[in-house]
C-alpha cells in the first residue's frame, strides 16, 4: 500500500508534481485545498474571508484525517497543513512524507502568478510578498523538515523537467 504526503510552501510544486506522479504510478491524487473546497462548497479564499484562518485550520485538520486513511494515494497538502496541530506527526505515522523544497526566488516568481487565490498573499505588494515569504518560510522550516524525505522542487517549469522529477521522486521513494 502506498500513501504519500507532499508538504511544503505555497507554489513549491506539490500539486504539479503530485498530480503527474500519481497519474504515472496509478495512484489516486488528492489536492487538499480542492478536497476542502469540494466538501465545504466554498473556495479557500471564501473560507478565510468568511470564517477566518482558525476555522480553515480546523477544517484542514479534519480533512487530513479523512484522506489520511485512503490507500494507494498521493496527497498534496496545503502550504500550512504541516505546520498546525500535530499534523506532521500524523502524516509521518500514516505514510511517506516528502518536503518539496524550493528557493525563495523560485517561490517568489511562481507566486507572482499564483498569489490571487492565496489569501495570505493576495493583498501584498511584491516587496511585502518577498519579505513575507522569507519570514514565513523560516518559521515553517522546522515543521517541513520533519518530513522523511526532502525533494528539490526548483525544476518543474516544463514537461521535460516534470518527467525528470517524477523519475527522481520514484527513486527517492524506492517505488
Ligand atoms: C496556505 C496554503 C494554501 C492554502 C491556504 C493557506 C498556507 O495551499 O491551503 O491558502 O498557509 O501556506 P497551497 O500550498 O496549495 O497554495
Amino acid at each position: 500500500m502506498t500513501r504519500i504526503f507532499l508538504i511544503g510552501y505555497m507554489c513549491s510544486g506539490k500539486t504539479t508534481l503530485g498530480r503527474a506522479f500519481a497519474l504515472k504510478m496509478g495512484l489516486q491524487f488528492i489536492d487538499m485545498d480542492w478536497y476542502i473546497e469540494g466538501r465545504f462548497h466554498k473556495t479557500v479564499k471564501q473560507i478565510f474571508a468568511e470564517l477566518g484562518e482558525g476555522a480553515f485550520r480546523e477544517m484542514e485538520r479534519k480533512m487530513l484525517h479523512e484522506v489520511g486513511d485512503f490507500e494507494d494515494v498521493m496527497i498534496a497538502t496545503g502550504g500550512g497543513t504541516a505546520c498546525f496541530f500535530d499534523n506532521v506527526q500524523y502524516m509521518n505515522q500514516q505514510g511517506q512524507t516528502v518536503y518539496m523544497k524550493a528557493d525563495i526566488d523560485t517561490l517568489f516568481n511562481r507566486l507572482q502568478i499564483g498569489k490571487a487565490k492565496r489569501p495570505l498573499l493576495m493583498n501584498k505588494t511584491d516587496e511585502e510578498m518577498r519579505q513575507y515569504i522569507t519570514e514565513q518560510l523560516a518559521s515553517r522550516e522546522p515543521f517541513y523538515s520533519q518530513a522523511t524525505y526532502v525533494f528539490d522542487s526548483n525544476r518543474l517549469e516544463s514537461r521535460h523537467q516534470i518527467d525528470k522529477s517524477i523519475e527522481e521522486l520514484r527513486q527517492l521513494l524506492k517505488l
Side-chain angles (χ1 to χ4, degrees):
M1 194 274 290
T2 306
R3 187 184 293 129
I4 306 157
F5 297 90
L6 298 184
I7 71 175
Y9 204 71
M10 291 176 263
C11 274
S12 58
K14 299 167 301 222
T15 303
T16 302
L17 184 59
R19 186 168 40 184
F21 186 86
L23 190 66
K24 182 79 184 270
M25 301 297 292
L27 300 170
Q28 184 186 356
F29 175 68
I30 303 277
D31 177 284
M32 287 270 307
D33 287 339
W34 298 345
Y35 192 84
I36 292 167
E37 291 180 346
R39 276 299 286 278
F40 294 93
H41 304 286
K42 278 180 196 297
T43 62
V44 169
K45 202 163 141 180
Q46 283 172 324
I47 298 171
F48 268 73
E50 293 169 18
L51 305 168
E53 182 175 353
F56 174 77
R57 297 302 171 194
E58 294 286 350
M59 293 153 105
E60 182 176 50
R61 177 174 184 272
K62 211 165 158 197
M63 294 302 103
L64 177 66
H65 282 252
E66 193 166 298
V67 301
D69 273 334
F70 292 0
E71 301 200 340
D72 295 318
V73 66
M74 162 63 95
I75 301 161
T77 64
T81 312
C83 313
F84 289 83
F85 311 108
D86 59 351
N87 290 350
V88 74
Q89 286 94 325
Y90 171 75
M91 291 189 271
N92 276 330
Q93 166 198 312
Q94 291 299 103
Q96 294 175 290
T97 48
V98 181
Y99 171 20
M100 298 281 286
K101 191 170 175 138
D103 301 336
I104 291 182
D105 282 344
T106 304
L107 296 172
F108 178 76
N109 289 336
R110 292 182 188 162
L111 280 164
Q112 276 189 314
I113 302 157
K115 74 174 187 181
K117 56 178 182 182
R118 291 176 167 92
L120 296 174
L121 302 171
M122 55 197 293
N123 295 320
K124 296 195 179 354
T125 62
D126 281 1
E127 206 179 314
E128 287 167 344
M129 191 167 80
R130 187 179 275 278
Q131 174 84 4
Y132 187 83
I133 296 170
T134 307
E135 287 171 8
Q136 195 175 44
L137 193 58
S139 72
R140 287 181 169 187
E141 190 74 33
F143 295 95
Y144 295 151
S145 58
Q146 290 179 53
T148 313
Y149 302 98
V150 180
F151 187 81
D152 179 349
S153 70
N154 284 297
R155 283 177 299 276
L156 291 171
E157 319 310 324
S158 66
R159 187 64 239 181
H160 175 69
Q161 289 184 346
I162 293 170
D163 285 342
K164 230 170 142 236
S165 292
I166 291 173
E167 193 47 38
E168 285 165 12
L169 184 59
R170 204 179 59 77
Q171 283 174 20
L172 184 71
L173 297 174
K174 299 172 194 74
L175 291 174

